[in-house]
Amino acid sequence: MSRSKVNREIDAELRSHIELRIEDNLAAGMSAEDARRDALLRFGNLTSTKEHVAGADTALTLDSIWSDLCYACRQLWKNPGFACTAILVLTLGMCASIAIFAFVDAVLISPLPYQVPSRLAGLFESTPLGPRFHLSYLDYLDWKRQNKVFSSVEAYDSISFALKTATETQRVEGATVSAGFFRTLGVAPIVGRDFGVGEDTPSAPRTVIVSYAAWQSRFGKRQDLLGQTVTLNGEPSVIIGVLPQDFHFALTGQTEFWTALSESSDPKNRGNHGLSAIARLKDGITWEAASSDMRSIAQQLAKQYPDSDEGRGATVLPLTEVLVGSLRPVLLLLLCGAVLLLLIACVNVSGLLLVRSENRRHEIAIRGALGASRMRLLRQFVTEGVMLAATGSLLGVCAACGAIHLLKLLMPVNMLMDMPYLKGLGLNLHVMGFAVAIGLAMANLFSLTPILRLSLADLRTGLTEGGRSSSRTVWSHLGANLVALELSAAMVLLVGAGLLGKSFYRLMHADIGFQTDHLASMRLLAPLSRYAKDEQQVALARHVMDETNHLPGVQSVAIAHQIPVANVAGGNTTFEVIGRPQHGSEDESSSRNVSVDYFSTVRARLVRGRYFSEGDDVSKPRVTIVNRSFTRKYFAGEDPIGRQIRYDATTPAIEIVGIVDDLKEGPLDEEVQPVLYTPFNQEPDNAFFLVARTAQEPQELLKSLEATVHRIDPEILTFNAETMEDRINHSQSTYLHRSSACLVGGFAAIALLLGVVGLYGLIAYSVSQRTREIGVRIAMGAQRSSVYKLILKEAGRLAAIGILAGLICSVVTASLMRKILFGTQPWDAGTLAGVALVLSISALLASYIPAHRAASVNPVEALRAE
Amino acid sequence: MAKNDLQGTLDLLVLKTLSQMGELHGYGIVVHIQRASDDLLRVEEGSLYPALHRMEQRRWIASEWALTNTNRRAKYYKLTSVGRQQLQDAEKNFEYLVKGVRAILSYA
């Protein structure tokens, strides 16, 4: 049944009712005119009754909702300025918050792909330097045996293997794990078997489990791969299994080959700390209980083996904390920023809706007078609000899709590999749920905002313009509050962006102790089978340096066991100062073996003493150079030059011959730890970095560095060839600081724009409503300047409230983000003042335009217009 | 003159009217209720027609267009079997309601 037919029927029925009454009235002796009047009077409002009758029809209700939708569309279409602004603003807000939420979901919310991941723990040794250090094989065995809180404790270590293929030797990412590692995670191979108990002892035959990716790319997914042999680090290993496709373990990176723990297990040396560990908490055991149990074991070990374990404790952390703990504050900050932006966007659109409902009073009043029920009028607003929210959400989701993709592209590849949980990044169920929730909240907000402004009384008085003034004050009041809220939110975001930007600037311009330009570096790994002896390693290093030195443009070349700006400083060693009584806990420091020219190549600054010389080799007494932090920590108020240290009672004494300025060995945003530099010639290694300073662009040198090394020995693995500047730019700390500064900066810019537009809108509206008043003022002889003052005072008051409230909120917010600031205080006066100034100027500009318009009102026209 | 304030009373009045009078148009219902109640009850057209429409949707009553004695087209309503059942229920409910209200009013 079509709507028009139903309407015609209703119409006919109601008319026949009136006609019947007229007939009766005539029969009762009334005059024709009286009869008609009485019938109509008794019947009441015909249109309204018709609406009510149609409202009782469900089919018609659906139909009327459709017509409401069409009407809402037409309304938006008729006001393209309003519609586009509102939808664009909402899309921006939605896009930002959904994209950031997708990251939060992938990193913080989605559970790890292991069995009951909440019971998995990461175990570390704590040392006087900090809570998270590697543990030694023997300590691991003791922990595993003595603990009462874990159902299993498993060790792992990520290493690079030299894989011998048919044509060459390749470097592949690998890990070595104890036998129960995969069972503890709750992961089983999809082909073949897991490591058996006891297979992780050095005497057991070598076995290896390959990742799904390696199975696919290196073995063509062949089913007969089990039992085949691969040569890793020169030793044949039998393949016994393939891991599931979606398995990943972030702490070992993109691992292709998993061997049973043997490379890193040293059953003699308790002081050799190189392992990490995971454990599964027994049912019913709390994290506190686990921590205290592990601490007491560590204390007992420290007593039992004071040489190696003195001062060492144990750290138990949930595995999720280990994996994503450092990202949490940054992500939460970004999410807060995005949500704040969304809030501003919503407030802005609500403001626009208020202005619109104000301007539509007349239309509403007419529709009401024509018989539209109150319910129907309200439904119209709800429909429009829902439509706005829906369109904004839909476009926001699409934009977020693109934004997520873009953010993923902007991430350095090696960082993505370190964060396999980002694989699941995208519009999954969680993210869509979040989007729908925001959409619904917005729909509610946008439907309620205009409805709040439309009381029944308004509908009656709407036709008479007299009712305007009171409602106008209410609106300006509400609108003004909204704008002040918007400005203060923008202020918070701007301050956040300012602080993060300053942090990033400080980070990039922090003194890292050497000259980063024109430096190229590359890591080398020589096969132990042919470079096992110290002399071989020293000779190789010398050969490599000689050859590289002859490359065009190379000014100097050096070798170092580790180079600065690593994601983890690491490489720790314990030592004692000879001639000083041991004071309970042991001294600990990072150690680096470097070649003679290292400090001059990277251009580090010598504070006192001397650099290494060619004479410092195995035949001479051991020497070391320490950094400033070392001096500060262990020789406060003393002169360390000439003093002697040793690793322990069994090793020779080492004389301190020089002090260098701190080189940033670890992440840029962390304090430099004490470092001992020893001559490479006295403590050589088969793995080291080659560092070259060039006259031209270091980028050009990278290829020839690799070629040179392979000319010397094709079996030497080379990797991570990069310039020092790239290394710094791609480091995790740089990326986190840069991306958070950029994103929050972007949010802040949009927030500033929205806030200023909101203020402009409010003032412009107020001016348009006061045209007559201003006209009268001018006609009465008011100066134009006093009109300016009138309008600017109103704007200034709002801006001042917004900025003041924003100032307080931003100091609070900033102190919450202290953790991720670098070299910047949360209450940085410069930033606060700068942001306040920017906002004030923007607010002034935004209100100047309407003020100018007000001051140029022609009094005659203003009065005539009314 | 009493207004139909009690929820659902209008439905009851209409159903009862139709059960007594057979077929009737909207105007006829208004007139009947007014007369039968000795002018005590007056049904407002503004609420009668939505109610009729709603009851028709619930299949309590059925309608068809027919001619009045004065040869005018009008929509006539009559009770369906569902409507008869509904009337019984509504009457019972109303009796309870009246009894209850009276008991409260006469409580000493």
Side-chain angles (χ1 to χ4, degrees), chain A residues 250-561:
Chain A
L251 297 171
T252 57
Q254 293 285 86
T255 310
E256 288 192 278
F257 292 90
W258 301 78
T259 60
L261 196 64
S262 58
E263 278 80 0
S264 302
S265 56
D266 183 346
K268 290 181 278 299
N269 187 355
R270 193 174 284 271
N272 182 3
H273 298 267
L275 290 177
S276 311
I278 56 163
R280 185 171 280 283
L281 213 55
K282 277 184 191 163
D283 285 339
I285 301 283
T286 62
W287 291 100
E288 291 75 35
S291 283
S292 74
D293 186 45
M294 293 312 293
R295 265 200 307 274
S296 69
I297 294 174
Q299 268 167 16
Q300 196 200 321
L301 289 175
K303 265 189 222 135
Q304 212 171 338
Y305 308 102
D307 276 356
S308 55
D309 279 19
E310 180 127 32
R312 287 186 173 258
T315 306
V316 178
L317 290 170
L319 191 60
T320 43
E321 183 63 35
V322 179
L323 287 172
V324 299
S326 63
L327 287 175
R328 185 175 296 130
V330 175
L331 277 177
L332 291 183
L333 168 89
L334 289 179
L335 188 65
C336 290
V339 167
L340 208 54
L341 182 68
L342 181 68
L343 182 78
I344 296 179
C346 287
V347 166
N348 224 308
V349 173
S350 299
L352 285 174
L353 279 170
L354 275 177
V355 173
R356 229 163 80 87
S357 73
E358 200 66 21
N359 289 336
R360 281 171 67 185
R361 306 185 79 72
H362 202 69
E363 172 207 330
I364 308 296
I366 289 175
R367 288 186 65 197
L370 286 176
S373 68
R374 181 168 156 73
M375 209 44 229
R376 191 68 200 277
L377 286 178
L378 296 187
R379 214 173 69 198
Q380 183 63 47
F381 281 103
V382 174
T383 313
E384 288 185 29
V386 169
M387 248 185 59
L388 262 186
T391 317
S393 305
L394 212 68
L395 290 175
V397 168
C398 294
C401 229
I404 293 170
H405 193 67
L406 195 73
L407 285 172
K408 233 171 164 177
L409 283 182
L410 290 178
M411 237 188 243
V413 177
N414 54 355
M415 230 176 99
L416 261 181
M417 283 182 180
D418 285 346
M419 298 192 276
Y421 33 81
L422 287 183
K423 264 189 202 159
L425 189 64
L427 297 182
N428 58 21
L429 223 59
H430 289 168
V431 180
M432 287 315 283
F434 177 79
V436 168
I438 297 184
L440 285 179
M442 289 199 320
N444 275 320
L445 179 69
F446 299 152
S447 321
L448 288 180
T449 319
I451 287 177
L452 284 179
R453 293 289 313 116
L454 286 173
S455 60
L456 195 60
D458 283 342
L459 295 183
R460 297 220 178 92
T461 55
L463 273 177
T464 57
E465 292 290 312
R468 220 177 51 176
S469 58
S470 70
S471 64
R472 197 179 67 201
T473 51
V474 176
W475 141 243
S476 347
H477 202 66
L478 189 60
N481 286 341
L482 288 182
V483 168
L485 176 71
E486 235 175 344
L487 287 177
S488 52
M491 172 105 188
V492 171
L493 274 173
L494 279 170
V495 169
L499 290 175
L500 287 171
K502 196 162 176 181
S503 284
F504 181 60
Y505 180 86
R506 286 270 164 87
L507 192 70
M508 287 288 93
H509 293 81
D511 180 16
I512 59 176
F514 64 99
Q515 272 186 33
T516 56
D517 57 318
H518 294 94
L519 272 184
S521 69
M522 182 176 70
R523 185 143 196 245
L524 279 70
L525 179 64
L528 259 184
S529 50
R530 293 198 287 113
Y531 298 95
K533 294 194 185 121
D534 285 2
E535 308 88 80
Q536 290 168 329
Q537 293 168 356
V538 170
L540 172 69
R542 187 157 297 149
H543 194 177
V544 169
M545 283 195 285
D546 282 347
E547 290 290 319
T548 351
N549 242 329
H550 290 120
L551 291 174
V554 171
Q555 292 175 325
S556 74
V557 177
I559 269 170
H561 183 239

